[in-house]
Amino acid sequence: MYQSVISNKLSRMTGSIANLKLPYPISLWAVKTFASSFNINVSEAELPLKDYKSFNAFFTRNLKSDCRHIENESATLVSPVDGKISNFGPITNNKLIQAKGIEYNLENLIGKDKAADYQDGFFLTIYLAPSDCHRIFMPIDGQIEGYRHIPGRLFPVRKPYIDTTQNLFIINERLISFINSKLGKIAVVKVGAFNVGSMSLAYDDSILTNKPGLAESTTDYKECINMNKGDHLATFHLGSTIVLLLENKPWVQTEYLNDQQAIQYGQPILKLN
């Protein structure tokens, strides 16, 4: 396991390096090498590879509008990210599953005051690999009520750490968006990880994570921010994990919701019965 302080400092250093603007053709070579190493489908990138002047610009790339179909059925919740489903299921006794034999506490994940909205609800965890699009999108039409930033460590969240480290998701830094929708309350929990330079919100540029000296903070908007399903919600500057929390409703799983299932943003994952 990485030393806790070192993991944060190294991650900030990685983020700084990733943001360096490189001269052409070095930038093109670097982006092509990275894309080739991780088998990234570069034809989906919104811009030509030559236009990405830094690693982070390519990591946080948008995709062409016709690359993803956003399921528009109003009673359907869609995946907010490209990634792999690692766990899902009911929230029982305020417990969520991190991995086989490892549970963690809902209140410690998002705070006791917010946890009441999701008691006996449903959770879904999706891991983003380096090859995935690192933008996070709205899973449903709704109103952003606010967000909470919980500083923490930046330990790795991939295997084998996810299978062996207790309370990993509540040790690491979190940035949480709280959404109200016709399908009930939804929380999009963005979990930081080692080598994640930072996390940012598309709807509020006042917060940027993984900075020294930050205290836990909560922002509740006086006027909620309306966003549509598929709108850009937030960004991982490098990659990590999403935990989606849903209010207790009669949810029905779709064919896309399976353990270790690769999924793309916009694909339906749950619908109301």
Side-chain angles (χ1 to χ4, degrees):
M1 176 60 72
Y2 294 87
Q3 293 288 331
S4 59
V5 174
I6 292 177
S7 69
N8 290 63
K9 288 184 177 180
L10 285 177
S11 294
R12 284 194 290 272
M13 185 184 301
T14 301
S16 297
I17 294 171
N19 277 314
L20 288 176
K21 291 187 177 180
L22 302 171
Y24 185 86
I26 295 176
S27 60
L28 179 60
W29 172 83
V31 169
K32 281 186 173 181
T33 300
F34 175 79
S36 176
S37 298
F38 289 98
N39 296 316
I40 296 173
N41 184 358
V42 296
S43 67
E44 294 184 335
E46 182 181 44
L47 303 175
L49 294 188
K50 64 181 179 61
D51 290 345
Y52 296 104
K53 304 304 182 185
S54 69
F55 274 115
N56 193 44
F58 183 68
F59 290 144
T60 60
R61 65 193 178 279
N62 197 15
L63 302 185
K64 294 174 182 175
S65 59
D66 59 353
C67 286
R68 300 287 183 271
H69 171 71
I70 310 298
E71 173 58 53
N72 59 13
E73 167 58 46
S74 61
T76 299
L77 194 81
V78 303
S79 174
V81 292
D82 287 0
K84 180 179 285 188
I85 297 171
S86 57
N87 267 296
F88 62 89
I91 300 170
T92 306
N93 297 323
N94 276 328
K95 297 292 185 181
L96 296 80
I97 298 171
Q98 175 183 299
K100 186 176 180 180
I102 301 179
E103 295 181 329
Y104 62 102
N105 188 278
L106 174 63
E107 293 182 355
N108 291 336
L109 180 69
I110 62 173
K112 187 175 181 179
D113 59 324
K114 298 292 187 180
D117 291 332
Y118 308 100
Q119 288 181 0
D120 301 317
F122 195 90
F123 81 95
L124 170 66
T125 305
I126 305 175
Y127 169 74
L128 286 75
S131 57
D132 292 316
C133 172
H134 290 80
R135 295 195 176 199
I136 303 153
F137 301 87
M138 280 287 284
I140 194 67
D141 294 342
Q143 300 79 44
I144 308 295
E145 296 183 320
Y147 68 88
R148 173 168 291 169
H149 174 227
I150 305 176
R153 303 309 180 191
L154 291 172
F155 295 132
V157 295
R158 64 185 185 277
K159 289 180 177 293
Y161 304 96
I162 193 69
D163 297 325
T164 58
T165 307
Q166 295 284 342
N167 294 322
L168 186 55
F169 291 158
I170 60 178
I171 293 172
N172 278 13
E173 185 172 34
R174 280 97 69 208
L175 183 60
I176 309 156
S177 298
F178 297 104
I179 303 168
N180 190 23
S181 76
K182 291 182 178 179
L183 303 186
K185 299 277 190 180
I186 298 169
V188 182
V189 184
K190 297 160 283 291
V191 183
F194 183 69
N195 270 347
V196 177
S198 61
M199 298 174 280
S200 61
L201 300 173
Y203 56 86
D204 192 324
D205 60 6
S206 64
I207 182 72
L208 189 64
T209 68
N210 192 19
K211 289 187 174 182
L214 291 178
E216 180 176 331
S217 63
T218 301
T219 297
D220 295 313
Y221 296 124
K222 292 182 179 179
E223 295 185 9
C224 296
I225 300 173
N226 292 313
M227 297 187 76
N228 297 321
K229 185 188 293 186
D231 285 351
H232 181 201
L233 179 71
T235 303
F236 281 125
H237 298 261
L238 300 190
S240 190
T241 291
I242 287 289
V243 182
L244 201 61
L245 304 176
L246 309 175
E247 192 177 336
N248 183 10
K249 298 279 186 178
W251 297 108
V252 176
Q253 299 176 23
T254 71
E255 62 184 296
Y256 293 97
L257 190 56
N258 295 290
D259 186 39
Q260 302 305 310
Q261 170 78 45
I263 197 164
Q264 296 179 336
Y265 74 81
Q267 290 180 326
I269 48 178
L270 291 164
K271 59 180 68 176
L272 281 185
N273 193 355

